[in-house]
Amino acid sequence: AFKKAYKSIQDAIVKKKKGKKIKIDLNFPRVKDGRDWPSSSPPPLENGKQGSTASRSSTSSKKSRHRVEFDVVERMKQFNIVNPPKDPATNIEGFAALQCLQQLKDSGLIGDIQWSSKRPSGSDYARFNPNDHESIQVIIQKGGALHENLIYEQDRDINAISRKMIRQHLANFALCDLVGPQKRWSEMTYKEMKSFLSEKMKS
């Protein structure tokens, strides 16, 4: 019934020009499955994609993303940057680096701990994309067993790494320098670490 009605409408729509009938074709270009598609849009392929342009665009996007990831890895190697582990390091009692560092400060074995951050980052490493990077710095001031300030700084990708992860990472570096190279803080209890630094303070 629909086809008959469509055909009668099609046959009825005519215009007269100089005594001649001009038929207006209402048909769209057709594809194998019988659906009508406007001529301005390319028919879909059998796998559902909208022609070869989308396929080329997808391939180009993957190559571009792979290239960016490769460049970031190369820059990290160049600037000797190591991303923090997913699970932060702990001592044998299960205390993370930030907790141990704060305990040392409370015990007077190190000076004040000052954290600061800057975004966008102004570092040479983050120059390729400063708006998506934040520079985090910690200054551990001299005092107790520490005879000079310790300063650590690292950039983080704000879309991939949390601020707390970087802080744990930098605190780990600080503890390694405070206790090492003779010992590993991750293999000590807090009491052992405190005793070791107390002896170091006397020397």
Side-chain angles (χ1 to χ4, degrees), residues 50-96:
Q50 188 73 23
S52 61
T53 304
S55 177
R56 285 198 302 271
S57 176
S58 175
T59 303
S60 175
S61 176
K62 287 180 180 178
K63 287 182 178 180
S64 175
R65 185 166 61 251
H66 177 74
R67 181 63 191 171
V68 169
E69 290 172 355
F70 175 77
D71 288 345
V72 170
V73 171
E74 287 301 307
R75 288 185 72 82
M76 289 179 71
K77 289 179 182 178
Q78 179 186 348
F79 288 90
N80 197 27
I81 291 177
V82 178
N83 276 335
K86 185 178 292 185
D87 298 317
T90 62
N91 71 354
I92 60 176
E93 298 169 303
F95 293 117

Side-chain angles (χ1 to χ4, degrees), residues 17-31:
K17 187 176 181 181
K18 296 183 180 180
K20 296 181 180 179
K21 291 184 178 180
I22 301 174
K23 190 173 182 179
I24 300 176
D25 188 4
L26 298 181
N27 285 321
F28 291 119
R30 303 184 70 81
V31 291

Side-chain angles (χ1 to χ4, degrees), residues 72 83 125 128-129 132-134 155-162 166:
V72 170
N83 276 335
Y125 165 75
F128 72 102
N129 188 6
D132 280 351
H133 285 80
E134 179 182 54
D155 286 290
R156 76 176 182 98
D157 182 338
I158 63 171
N159 299 308
I161 302 172
S162 71
I166 289 292

Side-chain angles (χ1 to χ4, degrees), residues 10-174:
Q10 185 184 38
D11 293 336
I13 300 177
V14 294
K15 288 185 179 179
K16 290 185 178 182
K17 187 176 181 181
K18 296 183 180 180
K20 296 181 180 179
K21 291 184 178 180
I22 301 174
K23 190 173 182 179
I24 300 176
D25 188 4
L26 298 181
N27 285 321
F28 291 119
R30 303 184 70 81
V31 291
K32 286 194 297 184
D33 61 2
R35 290 175 294 171
D36 293 333
W37 293 90
S39 58
S40 59
S41 301
L45 301 178
E46 291 183 4
N47 62 4
K49 293 183 179 179
Q50 188 73 23
S52 61
T53 304
S55 177
R56 285 198 302 271
S57 176
S58 175
T59 303
S60 175
S61 176
K62 287 180 180 178
K63 287 182 178 180
S64 175
R65 185 166 61 251
H66 177 74
R67 181 63 191 171
V68 169
E69 290 172 355
F70 175 77
D71 288 345
V72 170
V73 171
E74 287 301 307
R75 288 185 72 82
M76 289 179 71
K77 289 179 182 178
Q78 179 186 348
F79 288 90
N80 197 27
I81 291 177
V82 178
N83 276 335
K86 185 178 292 185
D87 298 317
T90 62
N91 71 354
I92 60 176
E93 298 169 303
F95 293 117
L98 276 175
Q99 294 171 289
C100 292
L101 201 61
Q102 186 62 44
Q103 288 177 329
L104 292 178
K105 186 258 181 187
D106 293 341
S107 300
L109 292 169
I110 59 175
D112 288 337
I113 304 170
Q114 297 179 340
W115 292 94
S116 62
S117 60
K118 181 182 178 182
R119 181 183 167 201
S121 173
S123 72
D124 288 339
Y125 165 75
R127 191 166 49 192
F128 72 102
N129 188 6
N131 289 329
D132 280 351
H133 285 80
E134 179 182 54
S135 176
I136 297 179
Q137 183 187 82
V138 60
I139 301 175
I140 303 170
Q141 296 184 333
K142 64 181 181 180
L146 189 59
H147 303 303
E148 61 182 6
N149 292 349
L150 295 179
I151 302 174
Y152 304 91
E153 184 173 5
Q154 183 164 325
D155 286 290
R156 76 176 182 98
D157 182 338
I158 63 171
N159 299 308
I161 302 172
S162 71
R163 188 175 293 150
K164 187 174 182 180
M165 288 176 69
I166 289 292
R167 287 189 170 189
Q168 290 283 13
H169 200 42
L170 298 182
N172 176 40
F173 291 152

